[in-house]
Amino acid sequence: MTIPIYGIGTINVTKNDIFYVITFDYFDENKEYYNLIKKEMQKKNEEERLKTEMQKQINGEKTIINGNYVFPVVKYSKIGVKIPKISYVTFYIEIPIKLADGKNTYENIYDETTAEYDYSVTWVLPKCGKFIKIDSPGNHEFENNYAFLYVSKGTKISGYESIVFEIKDKCI
């Protein structure tokens, strides 16, 4: 059985898309993924299963850009191993978007929960972008086109987050 121990995500915003790369680290006492990566067909089947499960989870959320619902798509999931008992799964997710010239708002609405493990998320805007306001669980800081969010295990998560940023149309 694998137990999640840490999550890290990078979210890149471009003119027409948001790209997520999210990695979950797992304590894998029985070396399930370590043994699985040697079996190509079984590994691919597990990656497809994980991709489908993540898509189901995302489909249960509401993602809104500038008041319009958008639909994140899980493109890939990949399994790897750091050391035999520490494995990871990385998800590659895309959202087609249409940014406004100037202020933009990303909102995500999901079930209230409690963080089961520590995680961090880095948002990256084009160089000319800047963050204005972040309403998200845990701690965060931002400067110019980078934002850093940190959530500790045990943090109560309200089920709503909002990221407000500005990008001028002529800069991208």
Side-chain angles (χ1 to χ4, degrees):
M1 177 179 191
T2 57
I3 300 166
I5 56 174
Y6 192 76
I8 187 166
T10 302
I11 300 173
N12 286 292
V13 178
T14 69
K15 183 177 182 176
N16 297 312
D17 297 281
I18 295 178
F19 297 99
Y20 294 47
V21 178
I22 303 171
T23 300
F24 297 98
D25 290 344
Y26 295 92
F27 177 65
D28 190 359
E29 185 171 7
N30 297 326
K31 301 182 194 174
E32 292 173 41
Y33 285 161
Y34 177 77
N35 293 321
L36 187 64
I37 62 172
K38 299 172 189 173
K39 302 170 185 167
E40 192 60 34
M41 186 52 84
Q42 290 175 332
K43 176 181 175 256
K44 286 188 180 299
N45 289 342
E46 178 65 2
E47 288 173 339
E48 189 61 34
R49 185 190 72 76
L50 291 166
K51 175 184 162 187
T52 299
E53 287 301 312
M54 178 58 87
Q55 188 66 62
K56 284 181 189 173
Q57 182 176 338
I58 288 173
N59 290 348
E61 301 176 359
K62 293 178 182 165
T63 305
I64 304 163
I65 305 285
N66 299 327
N68 298 309
Y69 286 94
V70 294
F71 303 96
V73 176
V74 181
K75 297 298 225 176
Y76 306 99
S77 73
K78 296 295 175 188
I79 296 169
V81 174
K82 293 184 177 187
I83 58 175
K85 290 188 177 183
I86 303 293
S87 57
Y88 64 89
V89 177
T90 300
F91 295 94
Y92 299 86
I93 303 165
E94 297 178 9
I95 307 175
I97 60 169
K98 182 161 177 66
L99 293 179
D101 181 15
K103 185 175 150 185
N104 291 272
T105 303
Y106 165 94
E107 296 173 282
N108 197 13
I109 303 166
Y110 45 88
D111 292 336
E112 190 174 307
T113 189
T114 300
E116 296 177 25
Y117 44 83
D118 295 346
Y119 65 89
S120 62
V121 178
T122 300
W123 278 73
V124 183
L125 301 174
K127 286 183 181 181
C128 56
K130 68 177 181 177
F131 288 91
I132 298 168
K133 181 181 176 194
I134 297 176
D135 178 8
S136 183
N139 299 317
H140 60 270
E141 57 185 293
F142 57 89
E143 186 171 332
N144 300 319
N145 63 319
Y146 282 82
F148 307 95
L149 294 78
Y150 310 95
V151 177
S152 299
K153 179 178 179 177
T155 299
K156 300 287 183 211
I157 299 173
S158 70
Y160 175 81
E161 59 188 75
S162 171
I163 312 285
V164 181
F165 56 92
E166 183 176 72
I167 299 177
K168 297 291 185 188
D169 191 43
K170 61 185 170 212
C171 79
I172 53 174

